[in-house]
Structure formats: structure tokens, C-alpha cells
Amino acid sequence: MAGLSAELLDKVKECLDDSEQTAQEIAEKSGLSVQVVRQAASILNAKGYAMTISGKPMRYRRTTPINHERQIREDYQGGPQPYLRPGSYTPPEQRVYNYNRRKD
């Protein structure tokens, strides 16, 4: 997807709003070709600035990138066992083995 300049991406990004628009509508607003708009929308979608709505014709709208920083719970201990709420798990019954041999 290389080849589109930052200026073209910015131009398409400025034309996007909260309404659903086709590539043709965005191309008319921006003065770019439909193919360039589709390629730019695909790049913006991958970066989180645009949302693609499937259908015929394909539609696009503006979104804001999500902050993907990892949030770690304070009570997380980092143990190898999965977190189980107290009382939510009953361990399997443990069998009792008697190793005392009968003496004859």
C-alpha cells in the first residue's frame, strides 16, 4: 500500500465525517480519483482513522484510533493458573490410595 503521500491521506481524512460515504462521494469532495480514495481509505482503516462498512457500494466513515495500551489489573499476580473467582471452581475429587499391603 506504499505510494500514497501523507498529503493524499490527509486530504481523504479531512473529507471523512461521522456519516457513511461511498468512495465516489469522497472523491467528489476531495478531487481525487475513486481508486486513490479506496486505497487511502484502506490505509486509514488499518491505522484506525477510518471504518469500512461492507455492502454495495462499500462505505467509509471517520473513527478515532483506539489507545491499545495494555491495562493490567492490580490484583494480577502473574501466576501460571487462570484466574478463578473464589467459589467458582470445585476441584476434582481426589482418590485415596491405600498402599498398605495385607500380610498373610
Side-chain angles (χ1 to χ4, degrees):
M1 298 256 177
L4 288 185
S5 67
E7 293 85 21
L8 289 176
L9 291 175
D10 288 340
K11 201 170 194 181
V12 172
K13 194 186 330 182
E14 288 172 5
C15 293
L16 292 172
D17 56 24
D18 292 330
S19 66
E20 297 178 1
Q21 303 174 69
T22 64
Q24 181 66 41
E25 293 167 343
I26 298 168
E28 289 170 2
K29 284 183 183 178
S30 65
L32 301 171
S33 71
V34 175
Q35 191 60 32
V36 170
V37 169
R38 286 185 181 133
Q39 189 174 5
S42 177
I43 293 169
L44 293 171
N45 186 25
K47 291 183 177 185
Y49 290 103
M51 176 186 294
T52 305
I53 296 113
S54 60
K56 287 200 175 213
M58 194 81 97
R59 297 185 174 274
Y60 308 95
R61 67 183 294 256
R62 175 183 58 198
T63 61
T64 52
I66 298 172
N67 186 358
H68 291 291
E69 288 182 19
R70 197 170 176 187
Q71 296 179 1
I72 299 176
R73 295 190 330 239
E74 291 178 15
D75 61 336
Y76 181 66
Q77 303 277 326
Q81 299 293 330
Y83 176 75
L84 300 171
R85 288 182 294 127
S88 68
Y89 175 72
T90 306
E93 216 176 281
Q94 292 188 359
R95 295 184 179 179
V96 177
Y97 295 97
N98 188 354
Y99 292 104
N100 295 332
R101 293 188 181 167
R102 197 166 101 184
K103 295 182 182 180
D104 291 74

